[in-house]
Structures are given as structure tokens and as C-alpha cells.
Amino acid sequence: MMKKKLSLISLLLAVLPVAAQQSYRIPVSEEHEQMQTGRYLPTWESLRTHQTPEWFRNVKFGIWAHWGPQCVEGSGDWMARSMYMEGSREYRWHVEHYGHPSEFGFKDVLPLFRAENWNPDSLVARYKRCGAQYFFVLGNHHDNFDLWDSQYQPWNSQNIGPRRDILEGWAQAARKYGLPLGISFHADHAWTWYEPAQRYDLEGPKAGVWYDGNLTKEDGQGKWWEGLDPQMLYQQNHPMSKGSWDNSAIHGQWDWSNGACPPSREFVTNFYDRTLDAINRYNPDLVYFDVTVLPFYPLSDCGLRIAAHMYNRNPRSVVFGKILSEEQRQALTWDVERGAPNEIIPEPWQTCNCIGNWHYRTSVYENNRYKSAATVVRQLVDIVSKNGNLLLSIPLRADGTYDDKEARILDDLEAWMTPNGESIFNTRPWVRFGEGPVAERVIAMNAQGFNDGQYADIDWQDIRFNQTDKYLYATAMGWPPEGRLVIRSLAKGNPDFRKRITSVHLLGYGRLPARQTAEGLVVQLPEPVNQIAPVLRIRK
């Protein structure tokens, strides 16, 4: 492929490798895809001049179609890794239903992902009705399968399985319903994530028989995948990482430390090319990476170049990163997985969470383990009070549909959001995010988050605040017994809201009398007008 004409900035970066790249062991190649140049350079100093746009602060709530071929077996997230772990639940299920992973590996699951009932138009319309103000889709997961007509990854949804460009279908629907589009890219960790596919059984009749992660293109003669190279999918033509047979070792190596096998420049560049390919085709407003900081950081400049590309293409775009330093939070938008800080964060940030497992898991449905709409709303209200957004995954089955229990959750979300959405969208934090036992608790985060269990006992005793120029909103995290609500932060003589309060408006109901005492603002609520949480609107 003929190289594109280099801009002046690209030329300078190319001829100054010591100054621009010496700290990166694996600099990305731009032979095929080149970073769009402009105001932003692929450096922290330059990226820190970008600010998370106001539109993102306003939208507050997004829905994520975290959906791909790992949904086929209904085994949940990371099944394409776990099916190669001898004795695991996913391994046993796969062997029973499809065969041994030396004979029927994840590559053979891909044609079974057909998306035969997928209707992106109706799904996005449904998500918007229940309050979604932006929409995210999976571009690829750790399974390294691209969900578009990818020119750099032949293992993609146009060639295999649905025989459709999934991203194009989602993008058209998002545009139709006016929702900013986000794409998440996770395939940068396929290098270490798929290492169990290099293994073999230690026990049983197949002991010592290698799994299919070691296959090459030449092994495909006469097979359905003839002409495709399994190493373009599995990426296992490399030594295993330190302690790779320990299934949990990968978590300590997520930032490419602690003995993780470093990726090749070819692999890093392939991820870079694929990501820019999708960005240039589908013009997302938001990009999410399931990584520490940025893809391949700190080994490579790959992630910095992708972020600069996004910001130069669209100065109003958002790029998310996890486990960020204070400096890095000025350059990227901080994402917290399945949790939240217990304080107001000055910069806009996001929680990504799911009502069940990230990829569809049948046992979650069968055992009634979905988060309820009430739990989702309380998490949303808490997050918004702290200057954050919530991105919520509603797992789809392999055919592209949600189940009946998920449908009820969406119905319940819509029922609450319709009268109460004004207390969420276009708001900003108040002087304090809330009051109550959970608000006053010390709640630490674990790595990229994972602390939402510490919020599980939140109830009506906790109140969260946010505001617009005209109103203060106070949301109790449940309906108090006998309807008596006391808001201590609004007690008579408090220094944060000096206006005398004689009435409040209960959203979905109407005006209520209120009186300020030394104890707090006292409100007698009527019978519940929704099944989740009352919201009081107070004129400022």
C-alpha cells in the first residue's frame, strides 16, 4: 500500500526518534494508518490541553451493547479464555457441547455467532426511551474478533458469523436517534489473554494434546477456515508470560509488568491500524480502552497516538482510560469499572457497569442475579452527584436480543427516568454530594474500581444532591418509612443554602409543604409515586 503523504508534524516525529520515542520500547509503525495531525501531539503535555467537553457532562447516562461471539455459549465474560482452562466451568461446558479445545476451539465458535434476530434500530430506540443519552458498542474484545468489515483483521463479522458489518448497523441507528456514538476496543490484550490456548490437558484421555492456539495457516487445508491464519486471531506465536499457567497471573500483568511477554511491534501496529480504521469509518464521539492508562502503555506510543488522532479529528471527543494518575486525568477521561469514588471528582468521569455479566451469561438469568432497575437508578444518582456519568451494559444474547427479565428492567428504568430525568441530565454537583451512612463511609477502590458491593446496603437514609442554575435536587435512595424525610444538609441556618424553604416539588407528583428546623428540612411524602426513589426539586 502506498504511504500517505506525511504532514510536517509526522515528518518531525519520524526524524526525531530519540526525542519523540526513546522512552517507548515498541514504537508504532504508521506504514498503513497515520495519526491525524493538528493541535494535539502524542505526548502527555499536549493531550493535557484537551478538556472533557461539556456535552459529555450533560448527558450523564449511556447504554453499552457489550456484545460479540463470546455470547454464543452463554458462559459469560472471558469465556474465550476460560474455555482453555482445564476443569473450569466454561471448559467443561464447551467440551460437553462442542468438543475438546484441541478439536473445536474458539475460532470454531465464531461461525455460530449469527446475530440472526439483531435489530439495531429497535434496540437503540428502546435504549433512548429509557433515558440513554449516548450509546456504546463493542468494536472488538480480548477475543481479537473485529465486529466490522475490518481491512486489517480477516477474523471479522463481515467474513465470519453474521456476515454483516455490526459497527455500521449500530452507527446508523445511533445517528438516526441522535445519540453520540462510542466504540470500545479491547483486543490489545489478546496477546497475553489468549495464552491458555497454547496449553494442553494435564489429565484425562487428551492429556498432552495441544489446544488449537498453536495452529497456523498451513493447518487449515481442507477445513472451513482454510486460507485464514489462526495466529491472526489467537496471536500466540510467542513465549508464554511468566507464571502463565497460573490463571490469575494476568491480572497483575495487565499493565505489561510482572513478567508479561512484551508484544511484538507487528501486533501493536495491527491494533493501531484496526483502531484508526474503525475511528475513520464510523466517526465515534467516544473511545474506550479496557486497559491500564492507554493501549500498550508504557511500552508503546500506540495509545497516545490514538488519543491524539481522536482529539485532532474531533476536538469534542472523549477518550477514556483506567487507573490514571492526576496528570493523566487531565489528558483522558477517567473510567471506573463497577464502582465509584466516594467524593466529588473535579474533572468529569465515568463508571462502566453491567446489570449482569459483561457478556451474556445464562446462569445470571436462571438464578435471577441481574441488578434491579432500583439498583441501577441509585448507582446513577450517586455517580451523578459526584460529577460522573454511568455507562450501563445490557447484555445481549448471541442472536442479538435481550431476555424477558432484561426487558422488565428497561421498562422499570423508563418508568423512573421519564418523570425524574430532569434531576439527572444537564446537572452539576452541589457543594456536597450527599449525606447519610454510606456517604459518610470510607469506601476504597480496588484497582480500576470494583467497589460497588460496598454501596449495596444504601437506602432511604442516604440522600444525594445535584443542581442546575435554577434548582437544587435532593434524591432519597428509597422511600422512608411512614413518608417522613429529614434532609440534614438543608437545616435551618445551614451555610450552603441560605434561602428559606417553605415548599418543595416532588417529581411525578407535585408541590409539598416543607419546614426547616434545626434538625433539617422536614418533608412529609405521599404514598410512593414510583417504585425506586423520590426526587425533590427545590427552587434556588
Side-chain angles (χ1 to χ4, degrees), residues 72-92:
V72 167
E73 298 187 7
S75 297
D77 203 37
W78 285 36
M79 66 76 51
R81 171 180 165 89
S82 298
M83 63 166 281
Y84 294 104
M85 296 176 179
E86 183 181 8
S88 71
R89 172 182 54 84
E90 296 86 351
Y91 170 95
R92 294 194 306 270

Side-chain angles (χ1 to χ4, degrees), residues 317-336:
S317 64
V318 181
V319 177
F320 296 98
K322 297 180 179 180
I323 316 181
L324 303 178
S325 68
E326 292 297 324
E327 178 185 65
Q328 291 161 348
R329 286 191 208 174
Q330 297 173 33
L332 307 171
T333 301
W334 183 36
D335 181 85
V336 178

Side-chain angles (χ1 to χ4, degrees), residues 222-248:
K223 308 287 179 54
W224 74 263
W225 47 275
E226 184 171 1
L228 291 170
D229 184 356
Q231 289 310 310
M232 283 294 292
L233 180 70
Y234 296 130
Q235 291 291 342
Q236 291 308 299
N237 188 23
H238 63 81
M240 284 185 167
S241 299
K242 180 180 178 180
S244 183
W245 282 76
D246 175 357
N247 294 332
S248 63

Side-chain angles (χ1 to χ4, degrees), residues 450-497:
F450 297 113
N451 66 353
D452 60 354
Q454 297 187 59
Y455 292 87
D457 60 344
I458 200 166
D459 62 16
W460 64 272
Q461 298 175 85
D462 265 87
I463 296 168
R464 296 294 179 267
F465 304 104
N466 53 342
Q467 64 179 334
T468 61
D469 290 340
K470 191 174 182 180
Y471 298 115
L472 173 68
Y473 294 94
T475 304
M477 300 301 223
W479 291 83
E482 301 177 359
R484 185 175 187 268
L485 186 65
V486 180
I487 305 175
R488 291 183 285 110
S489 299
L490 297 176
K492 188 175 182 179
N494 81 85
D496 300 318
F497 195 93

Side-chain angles (χ1 to χ4, degrees), residues 45-66:
E45 291 75 16
S46 179
L47 297 178
R48 282 204 307 270
T49 65
H50 180 270
Q51 293 186 339
T52 303
E54 285 296 296
W55 73 259
F56 179 74
R57 300 187 73 190
N58 291 334
V59 292
K60 303 300 183 187
F61 181 52
I63 285 183
W64 190 2
H66 192 285

